[in-house]
Amino acid sequence: MRVATFQWLMLLTLTALSFGLAEAGISGSAALFPVLLATLVKGNIVIDRFMALKGVKGAWRWIVLGWLLLVLGLIAYAFHLAQT
């Protein structure tokens, strides 16, 4: 199996996992970590494969990955504030 096919299947699987959690009615803290983790993995695949930053040296890859981590961290923080 080619790497691109595996990555595409991984994106589909992680999307189906997130959708399945929502359809099962799982919400709150029980869904937060799996959904954010799936988003991180999917974002990393997109950054590496589709943005072609896997082998890039320098700051570009880290800037984009840092942006993704910042957004996910802010979502987790906002969710935490909403729960308290």
Side-chain angles (χ1 to χ4, degrees):
M1 180 183 309
R2 292 182 35 194
V3 173
T5 303
F6 175 76
Q7 290 173 333
W8 177 71
L9 289 172
M10 183 66 93
L11 289 171
L12 286 177
T13 302
L14 291 170
T15 300
L17 171 74
S18 299
F19 179 77
L21 287 172
E23 284 297 308
I26 300 172
S27 62
S29 298
L32 179 66
F33 182 73
V35 170
L36 289 181
L37 182 62
T39 305
L40 178 64
V41 172
K42 287 170 58 176
N44 198 34
I45 291 171
V46 169
I47 290 166
D48 287 348
R49 181 74 177 177
F50 298 105
M51 295 177 74
L53 292 177
K54 184 170 183 152
V56 173
K57 298 206 188 278
W60 285 111
R61 184 171 192 279
W62 295 110
I63 290 170
V64 176
L65 186 58
W67 170 83
L68 177 62
L69 291 171
L70 175 67
V71 168
L72 294 177
L74 289 172
I75 290 170
Y77 180 68
F79 183 83
H80 174 72
L81 287 179
Q83 295 295 345
T84 56

